[in-house]
Amino acid sequence: MELIQNTPEISAYLAADEAIDHEHPRVRATAATLSADAPDAYAYAKAAFEFVRDAIPHSQDAGDPYVTWRASDVLARRTGICHAKAHALAALLRAEGIPTALCYQMFEVVHGLVAVKLPGEDRWARQDPRGNKPGVDAQFRLDREQLAFTVRPECNELDHPVLFAEPHPVVLQCLREAVDRPHLWQTLPTDL
């Protein structure tokens, strides 16, 4: 699948915004800790991915009713659904100057993940920090995708090819308005 930048300027994929608040001290401190043992951008990106995937449980898996959406809050509370975890990973990567996009898959509801463009690479590579569990084995890879979920076109599932510099407004509104995760589950978008 060919991934398409929604915004042509690569600088847009390094910017901070309300959800990807990579200038926040908590994001900066976490990035500094993760980069301390990373000799290059690839090692840092992999470490950041594994941190968000493994150290921040998906709130559904953890049974946490709290809804996070801002990267700094995801890092503080150590919980979030796929979209929130994607925001946290994007913030950590952008904090270290790695262009990161938000991207989506369409299942019964919209699933959120990221795409990274590492130095020296000519293409974006999608990564899914959702969190592994039985039946889910997402890995950081550049040679091929190993995402949490594979779409089944025969079931009307879709890999959305557009790479967004900011969270999709429909997704962000849903997260911001959710009272708790059970409420969020009732209102998650089914399309962009």
mmCIF file of all heavy atoms in Angstrom, residues 6-54:
data_model
loop_
_atom_site.group_PDB
_atom_site.id
_atom_site.type_symbol
_atom_site.label_atom_id
_atom_site.label_comp_id
_atom_site.label_asym_id
_atom_site.label_seq_id
_atom_site.Cartn_x
_atom_site.Cartn_y
_atom_site.Cartn_z
ATOM 1 N N ASN A 6 -0.756 13.691 4.035
ATOM 2 C CA ASN A 6 -1.862 14.636 3.968
ATOM 3 C C ASN A 6 -1.335 16.058 3.808
ATOM 4 O O ASN A 6 -1.980 16.903 3.216
ATOM 5 C CB ASN A 6 -2.719 14.520 5.234
ATOM 6 C CG ASN A 6 -3.989 15.316 5.163
ATOM 7 O OD1 ASN A 6 -4.687 15.287 4.169
ATOM 8 N ND2 ASN A 6 -4.276 16.048 6.223
ATOM 9 N N THR A 7 -0.143 16.299 4.353
ATOM 10 C CA THR A 7 0.521 17.596 4.289
ATOM 11 C C THR A 7 1.867 17.386 3.612
ATOM 12 O O THR A 7 2.640 16.539 4.049
ATOM 13 C CB THR A 7 0.729 18.145 5.718
ATOM 14 O OG1 THR A 7 -0.527 18.155 6.393
ATOM 15 C CG2 THR A 7 1.318 19.529 5.693
ATOM 16 N N PRO A 8 2.170 18.132 2.544
ATOM 17 C CA PRO A 8 3.418 17.870 1.818
ATOM 18 C C PRO A 8 4.691 18.216 2.590
ATOM 19 O O PRO A 8 5.716 17.579 2.401
ATOM 20 C CB PRO A 8 3.302 18.721 0.549
ATOM 21 C CG PRO A 8 2.194 19.674 0.783
ATOM 22 C CD PRO A 8 1.343 19.137 1.890
ATOM 23 N N GLU A 9 4.638 19.210 3.486
ATOM 24 C CA GLU A 9 5.833 19.635 4.209
ATOM 25 C C GLU A 9 6.159 18.647 5.321
ATOM 26 O O GLU A 9 5.350 18.430 6.220
ATOM 27 C CB GLU A 9 5.645 21.041 4.815
ATOM 28 C CG GLU A 9 5.418 22.130 3.797
ATOM 29 C CD GLU A 9 3.969 22.215 3.355
ATOM 30 O OE1 GLU A 9 3.072 21.744 4.095
ATOM 31 O OE2 GLU A 9 3.721 22.721 2.249
ATOM 32 N N ILE A 10 7.368 18.107 5.289
ATOM 33 C CA ILE A 10 7.787 17.144 6.306
ATOM 34 C C ILE A 10 7.824 17.784 7.687
ATOM 35 O O ILE A 10 7.619 17.114 8.699
ATOM 36 C CB ILE A 10 9.141 16.486 5.931
ATOM 37 C CG1 ILE A 10 9.357 15.188 6.716
ATOM 38 C CG2 ILE A 10 10.293 17.434 6.138
ATOM 39 C CD1 ILE A 10 8.540 14.035 6.236
ATOM 40 N N SER A 11 8.029 19.101 7.751
ATOM 41 C CA SER A 11 8.085 19.793 9.044
ATOM 42 C C SER A 11 6.770 19.658 9.817
ATOM 43 O O SER A 11 6.767 19.702 11.054
ATOM 44 C CB SER A 11 8.426 21.268 8.852
ATOM 45 O OG SER A 11 7.434 21.906 8.069
ATOM 46 N N ALA A 12 5.661 19.473 9.121
ATOM 47 C CA ALA A 12 4.368 19.297 9.793
ATOM 48 C C ALA A 12 4.360 18.036 10.652
ATOM 49 O O ALA A 12 3.647 17.967 11.656
ATOM 50 C CB ALA A 12 3.245 19.240 8.771
ATOM 51 N N TYR A 13 5.165 17.058 10.273
ATOM 52 C CA TYR A 13 5.219 15.780 10.981
ATOM 53 C C TYR A 13 6.235 15.809 12.123
ATOM 54 O O TYR A 13 6.548 14.775 12.713
ATOM 55 C CB TYR A 13 5.509 14.649 9.988
ATOM 56 C CG TYR A 13 4.413 14.530 8.958
ATOM 57 C CD1 TYR A 13 4.499 15.194 7.739
ATOM 58 C CD2 TYR A 13 3.263 13.794 9.226
ATOM 59 C CE1 TYR A 13 3.473 15.113 6.800
ATOM 60 C CE2 TYR A 13 2.234 13.714 8.294
ATOM 61 C CZ TYR A 13 2.343 14.372 7.092
ATOM 62 O OH TYR A 13 1.324 14.298 6.163
ATOM 63 N N LEU A 14 6.732 17.009 12.417
ATOM 64 C CA LEU A 14 7.617 17.236 13.560
ATOM 65 C C LEU A 14 6.999 18.207 14.559
ATOM 66 O O LEU A 14 7.542 18.437 15.637
ATOM 67 C CB LEU A 14 8.960 17.808 13.084
ATOM 68 C CG LEU A 14 9.831 16.860 12.279
ATOM 69 C CD1 LEU A 14 10.958 17.607 11.586
ATOM 70 C CD2 LEU A 14 10.384 15.762 13.171
ATOM 71 N N ALA A 15 5.865 18.791 14.198
ATOM 72 C CA ALA A 15 5.245 19.857 14.994
ATOM 73 C C ALA A 15 4.582 19.320 16.264
ATOM 74 O O ALA A 15 4.166 18.168 16.335
ATOM 75 C CB ALA A 15 4.219 20.594 14.145
ATOM 76 N N ALA A 16 4.486 20.203 17.233
ATOM 77 C CA ALA A 16 3.734 19.919 18.450
ATOM 78 C C ALA A 16 2.328 20.474 18.283
ATOM 79 O O ALA A 16 2.110 21.441 17.566
ATOM 80 C CB ALA A 16 4.416 20.561 19.654
ATOM 81 N N ASP A 17 1.378 19.835 18.916
ATOM 82 C CA ASP A 17 0.013 20.347 18.964
ATOM 83 C C ASP A 17 -0.584 19.964 20.313
ATOM 84 O O ASP A 17 0.127 19.489 21.199
ATOM 85 C CB ASP A 17 -0.818 19.862 17.769
ATOM 86 C CG ASP A 17 -0.987 18.354 17.698
ATOM 87 O OD1 ASP A 17 -1.082 17.697 18.754
ATOM 88 O OD2 ASP A 17 -1.047 17.817 16.580
ATOM 89 N N GLU A 18 -1.865 20.160 20.471
ATOM 90 C CA GLU A 18 -2.504 19.915 21.757
ATOM 91 C C GLU A 18 -2.402 18.443 22.191
ATOM 92 O O GLU A 18 -2.201 18.155 23.368
ATOM 93 C CB GLU A 18 -3.974 20.338 21.678
ATOM 94 C CG GLU A 18 -4.658 20.373 23.019
ATOM 95 C CD GLU A 18 -6.080 20.873 22.932
ATOM 96 O OE1 GLU A 18 -6.631 20.975 21.820
ATOM 97 O OE2 GLU A 18 -6.642 21.156 23.990
ATOM 98 N N ALA A 19 -2.512 17.515 21.254
ATOM 99 C CA ALA A 19 -2.451 16.089 21.589
ATOM 100 C C ALA A 19 -1.022 15.555 21.575
ATOM 101 O O ALA A 19 -0.651 14.730 22.396
ATOM 102 C CB ALA A 19 -3.316 15.281 20.623
ATOM 103 N N ILE A 20 -0.233 16.010 20.631
ATOM 104 C CA ILE A 20 1.160 15.566 20.510
ATOM 105 C C ILE A 20 2.028 16.676 21.093
ATOM 106 O O ILE A 20 2.710 17.405 20.393
ATOM 107 C CB ILE A 20 1.504 15.248 19.036
ATOM 108 C CG1 ILE A 20 0.520 14.218 18.494
ATOM 109 C CG2 ILE A 20 2.933 14.730 18.912
ATOM 110 C CD1 ILE A 20 0.615 13.993 17.007
ATOM 111 N N ASP A 21 1.981 16.788 22.404
ATOM 112 C CA ASP A 21 2.613 17.902 23.120
ATOM 113 C C ASP A 21 4.063 17.559 23.486
ATOM 114 O O ASP A 21 4.423 17.475 24.651
ATOM 115 C CB ASP A 21 1.787 18.300 24.333
ATOM 116 C CG ASP A 21 1.538 17.176 25.320
ATOM 117 O OD1 ASP A 21 1.704 15.987 24.956
ATOM 118 O OD2 ASP A 21 1.174 17.476 26.474
ATOM 119 N N HIS A 22 4.883 17.402 22.455
ATOM 120 C CA HIS A 22 6.248 16.928 22.699
ATOM 121 C C HIS A 22 7.157 17.965 23.348
ATOM 122 O O HIS A 22 8.297 17.640 23.712
ATOM 123 C CB HIS A 22 6.881 16.343 21.438
ATOM 124 C CG HIS A 22 7.133 17.300 20.325
ATOM 125 N ND1 HIS A 22 8.095 18.264 20.374
ATOM 126 C CD2 HIS A 22 6.549 17.417 19.107
ATOM 127 C CE1 HIS A 22 8.107 18.931 19.237
ATOM 128 N NE2 HIS A 22 7.166 18.441 18.450
ATOM 129 N N GLU A 23 6.666 19.165 23.562
ATOM 130 C CA GLU A 23 7.461 20.159 24.291
ATOM 131 C C GLU A 23 7.191 20.102 25.795
ATOM 132 O O GLU A 23 7.862 20.779 26.584
ATOM 133 C CB GLU A 23 7.177 21.551 23.728
ATOM 134 C CG GLU A 23 7.648 21.664 22.283
ATOM 135 C CD GLU A 23 7.161 22.900 21.570
ATOM 136 O OE1 GLU A 23 6.268 23.593 22.105
ATOM 137 O OE2 GLU A 23 7.659 23.176 20.473
ATOM 138 N N HIS A 24 6.249 19.261 26.208
ATOM 139 C CA HIS A 24 5.909 19.117 27.628
ATOM 140 C C HIS A 24 7.097 18.490 28.371
ATOM 141 O O HIS A 24 7.751 17.583 27.856
ATOM 142 C CB HIS A 24 4.666 18.223 27.760
ATOM 143 C CG HIS A 24 4.107 18.189 29.137
ATOM 144 N ND1 HIS A 24 4.661 17.432 30.140
ATOM 145 C CD2 HIS A 24 3.041 18.826 29.687
ATOM 146 C CE1 HIS A 24 3.965 17.594 31.256
ATOM 147 N NE2 HIS A 24 2.972 18.436 31.004
ATOM 148 N N PRO A 25 7.404 18.965 29.580
ATOM 149 C CA PRO A 25 8.545 18.429 30.328
ATOM 150 C C PRO A 25 8.519 16.907 30.520
ATOM 151 O O PRO A 25 9.565 16.264 30.481
ATOM 152 C CB PRO A 25 8.461 19.154 31.680
ATOM 153 C CG PRO A 25 7.720 20.409 31.394
ATOM 154 C CD PRO A 25 6.765 20.085 30.278
ATOM 155 N N ARG A 26 7.337 16.329 30.713
ATOM 156 C CA ARG A 26 7.244 14.878 30.905
ATOM 157 C C ARG A 26 7.647 14.125 29.636
ATOM 158 O O ARG A 26 8.341 13.116 29.684
ATOM 159 C CB ARG A 26 5.830 14.486 31.323
ATOM 160 C CG ARG A 26 5.698 13.009 31.647
ATOM 161 C CD ARG A 26 4.327 12.659 32.193
ATOM 162 N NE ARG A 26 4.082 13.329 33.471
ATOM 163 C CZ ARG A 26 3.225 14.327 33.659
ATOM 164 N NH1 ARG A 26 2.506 14.782 32.661
ATOM 165 N NH2 ARG A 26 3.072 14.870 34.835
ATOM 166 N N VAL A 27 7.218 14.643 28.495
ATOM 167 C CA VAL A 27 7.589 14.013 27.224
ATOM 168 C C VAL A 27 9.091 14.160 27.015
ATOM 169 O O VAL A 27 9.777 13.197 26.647
ATOM 170 C CB VAL A 27 6.800 14.626 26.050
ATOM 171 C CG1 VAL A 27 7.250 14.040 24.725
ATOM 172 C CG2 VAL A 27 5.300 14.432 26.246
ATOM 173 N N ARG A 28 9.615 15.356 27.258
ATOM 174 C CA ARG A 28 11.055 15.607 27.087
ATOM 175 C C ARG A 28 11.886 14.715 28.010
ATOM 176 O O ARG A 28 12.914 14.175 27.606
ATOM 177 C CB ARG A 28 11.376 17.085 27.348
ATOM 178 C CG ARG A 28 10.845 18.013 26.300
ATOM 179 C CD ARG A 28 11.605 17.833 25.024
ATOM 180 N NE ARG A 28 11.116 18.755 24.017
ATOM 181 C CZ ARG A 28 11.535 18.774 22.791
ATOM 182 N NH1 ARG A 28 12.465 17.943 22.383
ATOM 183 N NH2 ARG A 28 11.034 19.611 21.923
ATOM 184 N N ALA A 29 11.465 14.569 29.256
ATOM 185 C CA ALA A 29 12.211 13.740 30.206
ATOM 186 C C ALA A 29 12.191 12.267 29.781
ATOM 187 O O ALA A 29 13.220 11.578 29.849
ATOM 188 C CB ALA A 29 11.635 13.903 31.614
ATOM 189 N N THR A 30 11.043 11.793 29.339
ATOM 190 C CA THR A 30 10.949 10.403 28.886
ATOM 191 C C THR A 30 11.818 10.186 27.657
ATOM 192 O O THR A 30 12.539 9.186 27.557
ATOM 193 C CB THR A 30 9.482 10.027 28.583
ATOM 194 O OG1 THR A 30 8.684 10.278 29.750
ATOM 195 C CG2 THR A 30 9.348 8.559 28.195
ATOM 196 N N ALA A 31 11.779 11.138 26.720
ATOM 197 C CA ALA A 31 12.611 11.038 25.515
ATOM 198 C C ALA A 31 14.089 11.025 25.883
ATOM 199 O O ALA A 31 14.874 10.253 25.320
ATOM 200 C CB ALA A 31 12.300 12.190 24.559
ATOM 201 N N ALA A 32 14.485 11.865 26.834
ATOM 202 C CA ALA A 32 15.892 11.915 27.250
ATOM 203 C C ALA A 32 16.330 10.585 27.858
ATOM 204 O O ALA A 32 17.427 10.088 27.579
ATOM 205 C CB ALA A 32 16.102 13.056 28.243
ATOM 206 N N THR A 33 15.478 9.987 28.669
ATOM 207 C CA THR A 33 15.800 8.687 29.266
ATOM 208 C C THR A 33 15.948 7.620 28.193
ATOM 209 O O THR A 33 16.905 6.834 28.208
ATOM 210 C CB THR A 33 14.694 8.276 30.269
ATOM 211 O OG1 THR A 33 14.633 9.266 31.300
ATOM 212 C CG2 THR A 33 14.967 6.917 30.868
ATOM 213 N N LEU A 34 15.010 7.591 27.248
ATOM 214 C CA LEU A 34 15.041 6.573 26.189
ATOM 215 C C LEU A 34 16.221 6.783 25.239
ATOM 216 O O LEU A 34 16.785 5.809 24.729
ATOM 217 C CB LEU A 34 13.734 6.589 25.399
ATOM 218 C CG LEU A 34 12.499 6.128 26.164
ATOM 219 C CD1 LEU A 34 11.234 6.427 25.363
ATOM 220 C CD2 LEU A 34 12.585 4.647 26.499
ATOM 221 N N SER A 35 16.603 8.026 25.004
ATOM 222 C CA SER A 35 17.693 8.288 24.057
ATOM 223 C C SER A 35 19.073 8.057 24.658
ATOM 224 O O SER A 35 20.057 7.935 23.930
ATOM 225 C CB SER A 35 17.589 9.708 23.487
ATOM 226 O OG SER A 35 17.833 10.660 24.494
ATOM 227 N N ALA A 36 19.158 7.981 25.985
ATOM 228 C CA ALA A 36 20.457 7.832 26.646
ATOM 229 C C ALA A 36 21.215 6.597 26.173
ATOM 230 O O ALA A 36 22.441 6.622 26.064
ATOM 231 C CB ALA A 36 20.275 7.803 28.161
ATOM 232 N N ASP A 37 20.495 5.514 25.900
ATOM 233 C CA ASP A 37 21.138 4.261 25.469
ATOM 234 C C ASP A 37 20.957 3.989 23.985
ATOM 235 O O ASP A 37 21.246 2.878 23.529
ATOM 236 C CB ASP A 37 20.577 3.087 26.271
ATOM 237 C CG ASP A 37 20.922 3.191 27.749
ATOM 238 O OD1 ASP A 37 22.023 3.687 28.067
ATOM 239 O OD2 ASP A 37 20.083 2.801 28.580
ATOM 240 N N ALA A 38 20.485 4.969 23.244
ATOM 241 C CA ALA A 38 20.208 4.765 21.813
ATOM 242 C C ALA A 38 21.293 5.455 20.984
ATOM 243 O O ALA A 38 21.362 6.686 20.962
ATOM 244 C CB ALA A 38 18.831 5.308 21.462
ATOM 245 N N PRO A 39 22.119 4.676 20.286
ATOM 246 C CA PRO A 39 23.211 5.278 19.521
ATOM 247 C C PRO A 39 22.781 5.985 18.234
ATOM 248 O O PRO A 39 23.545 6.768 17.681
ATOM 249 C CB PRO A 39 24.108 4.086 19.196
ATOM 250 C CG PRO A 39 23.192 2.905 19.210
ATOM 251 C CD PRO A 39 22.142 3.227 20.242
ATOM 252 N N ASP A 40 21.573 5.718 17.748
ATOM 253 C CA ASP A 40 21.132 6.340 16.498
ATOM 254 C C ASP A 40 19.609 6.441 16.479
ATOM 255 O O ASP A 40 18.924 5.997 17.405
ATOM 256 C CB ASP A 40 21.651 5.560 15.280
ATOM 257 C CG ASP A 40 21.223 4.099 15.273
ATOM 258 O OD1 ASP A 40 20.144 3.760 15.827
ATOM 259 O OD2 ASP A 40 21.954 3.273 14.697
ATOM 260 N N ALA A 41 19.090 7.050 15.425
ATOM 261 C CA ALA A 41 17.639 7.283 15.312
ATOM 262 C C ALA A 41 16.859 5.972 15.288
ATOM 263 O O ALA A 41 15.786 5.877 15.880
ATOM 264 C CB ALA A 41 17.334 8.111 14.069
ATOM 265 N N TYR A 42 17.381 4.948 14.611
ATOM 266 C CA TYR A 42 16.684 3.662 14.558
ATOM 267 C C TYR A 42 16.563 3.064 15.964
ATOM 268 O O TYR A 42 15.485 2.635 16.368
ATOM 269 C CB TYR A 42 17.407 2.681 13.635
ATOM 270 C CG TYR A 42 16.774 1.310 13.646
ATOM 271 C CD1 TYR A 42 15.707 1.012 12.804
ATOM 272 C CD2 TYR A 42 17.205 0.320 14.522
ATOM 273 C CE1 TYR A 42 15.093 -0.240 12.821
ATOM 274 C CE2 TYR A 42 16.599 -0.928 14.553
ATOM 275 C CZ TYR A 42 15.549 -1.199 13.700
ATOM 276 O OH TYR A 42 14.941 -2.436 13.751
ATOM 277 N N ALA A 43 17.665 3.036 16.699
ATOM 278 C CA ALA A 43 17.652 2.463 18.049
ATOM 279 C C ALA A 43 16.708 3.248 18.954
ATOM 280 O O ALA A 43 15.970 2.660 19.760
ATOM 281 C CB ALA A 43 19.062 2.444 18.627
ATOM 282 N N TYR A 44 16.704 4.575 18.826
ATOM 283 C CA TYR A 44 15.795 5.387 19.630
ATOM 284 C C TYR A 44 14.338 5.103 19.257
ATOM 285 O O TYR A 44 13.492 4.911 20.128
ATOM 286 C CB TYR A 44 16.083 6.889 19.481
ATOM 287 C CG TYR A 44 15.050 7.699 20.223
ATOM 288 C CD1 TYR A 44 15.112 7.827 21.598
ATOM 289 C CD2 TYR A 44 13.965 8.262 19.559
ATOM 290 C CE1 TYR A 44 14.129 8.515 22.298
ATOM 291 C CE2 TYR A 44 12.987 8.951 20.241
ATOM 292 C CZ TYR A 44 13.073 9.072 21.616
ATOM 293 O OH TYR A 44 12.089 9.735 22.310
ATOM 294 N N ALA A 45 14.032 5.088 17.962
ATOM 295 C CA ALA A 45 12.653 4.851 17.518
ATOM 296 C C ALA A 45 12.158 3.490 18.005
ATOM 297 O O ALA A 45 11.021 3.363 18.457
ATOM 298 C CB ALA A 45 12.565 4.948 16.000
ATOM 299 N N LYS A 46 13.008 2.487 17.934
ATOM 300 C CA LYS A 46 12.629 1.143 18.402
ATOM 301 C C LYS A 46 12.412 1.153 19.910
ATOM 302 O O LYS A 46 11.438 0.574 20.410
ATOM 303 C CB LYS A 46 13.701 0.132 18.015
ATOM 304 C CG LYS A 46 13.321 -1.291 18.350
ATOM 305 C CD LYS A 46 14.343 -2.293 17.819
ATOM 306 C CE LYS A 46 13.776 -3.683 17.961
ATOM 307 N NZ LYS A 46 14.593 -4.596 18.676
ATOM 308 N N ALA A 47 13.292 1.834 20.651
ATOM 309 C CA ALA A 47 13.148 1.908 22.109
ATOM 310 C C ALA A 47 11.868 2.644 22.499
ATOM 311 O O ALA A 47 11.151 2.221 23.409
ATOM 312 C CB ALA A 47 14.368 2.591 22.724
ATOM 313 N N ALA A 48 11.572 3.745 21.809
ATOM 314 C CA ALA A 48 10.353 4.503 22.101
ATOM 315 C C ALA A 48 9.121 3.660 21.790
ATOM 316 O O ALA A 48 8.161 3.626 22.566
ATOM 317 C CB ALA A 48 10.341 5.806 21.305
ATOM 318 N N PHE A 49 9.147 2.961 20.648
ATOM 319 C CA PHE A 49 8.034 2.087 20.281
ATOM 320 C C PHE A 49 7.810 1.022 21.353
ATOM 321 O O PHE A 49 6.687 0.810 21.810
ATOM 322 C CB PHE A 49 8.322 1.428 18.925
ATOM 323 C CG PHE A 49 7.387 0.305 18.585
ATOM 324 C CD1 PHE A 49 6.155 0.558 18.016
ATOM 325 C CD2 PHE A 49 7.729 -1.015 18.850
ATOM 326 C CE1 PHE A 49 5.271 -0.473 17.720
ATOM 327 C CE2 PHE A 49 6.858 -2.055 18.551
ATOM 328 C CZ PHE A 49 5.628 -1.783 17.984
ATOM 329 N N GLU A 50 8.875 0.339 21.731
ATOM 330 C CA GLU A 50 8.745 -0.749 22.709
ATOM 331 C C GLU A 50 8.302 -0.218 24.068
ATOM 332 O O GLU A 50 7.528 -0.873 24.775
ATOM 333 C CB GLU A 50 10.047 -1.536 22.808
ATOM 334 C CG GLU A 50 10.287 -2.347 21.541
ATOM 335 C CD GLU A 50 11.624 -3.064 21.498
ATOM 336 O OE1 GLU A 50 12.501 -2.801 22.372
ATOM 337 O OE2 GLU A 50 11.807 -3.898 20.579
ATOM 338 N N PHE A 51 8.755 0.973 24.433
ATOM 339 C CA PHE A 51 8.318 1.588 25.687
ATOM 340 C C PHE A 51 6.808 1.823 25.673
ATOM 341 O O PHE A 51 6.097 1.434 26.599
ATOM 342 C CB PHE A 51 9.069 2.897 25.927
ATOM 343 C CG PHE A 51 8.555 3.663 27.105
ATOM 344 C CD1 PHE A 51 8.896 3.289 28.393
ATOM 345 C CD2 PHE A 51 7.718 4.760 26.940
ATOM 346 C CE1 PHE A 51 8.409 3.989 29.496
ATOM 347 C CE2 PHE A 51 7.224 5.464 28.021
ATOM 348 C CZ PHE A 51 7.573 5.076 29.310
ATOM 349 N N VAL A 52 6.313 2.464 24.618
ATOM 350 C CA VAL A 52 4.874 2.761 24.557
ATOM 351 C C VAL A 52 4.071 1.461 24.436
ATOM 352 O O VAL A 52 3.047 1.293 25.089
ATOM 353 C CB VAL A 52 4.549 3.733 23.401
ATOM 354 C CG1 VAL A 52 3.050 3.914 23.234
ATOM 355 C CG2 VAL A 52 5.219 5.083 23.644
ATOM 356 N N ARG A 53 4.554 0.532 23.622
ATOM 357 C CA ARG A 53 3.839 -0.740 23.450
ATOM 358 C C ARG A 53 3.774 -1.521 24.753
ATOM 359 O O ARG A 53 2.720 -2.065 25.106
ATOM 360 C CB ARG A 53 4.526 -1.578 22.375
ATOM 361 C CG ARG A 53 3.817 -2.906 22.089
ATOM 362 C CD ARG A 53 4.673 -3.867 21.293
ATOM 363 N NE ARG A 53 5.849 -4.254 22.081
ATOM 364 C CZ ARG A 53 6.892 -4.900 21.565
ATOM 365 N NH1 ARG A 53 6.931 -5.220 20.291
ATOM 366 N NH2 ARG A 53 7.923 -5.210 22.339
ATOM 367 N N ASP A 54 4.901 -1.588 25.482
ATOM 368 C CA ASP A 54 5.004 -2.509 26.614
ATOM 369 C C ASP A 54 4.807 -1.878 27.988
ATOM 370 O O ASP A 54 4.281 -2.525 28.890
ATOM 371 C CB ASP A 54 6.375 -3.200 26.593
ATOM 372 C CG ASP A 54 6.616 -3.990 25.323
ATOM 373 O OD1 ASP A 54 5.637 -4.337 24.614
ATOM 374 O OD2 ASP A 54 7.792 -4.259 25.012
#
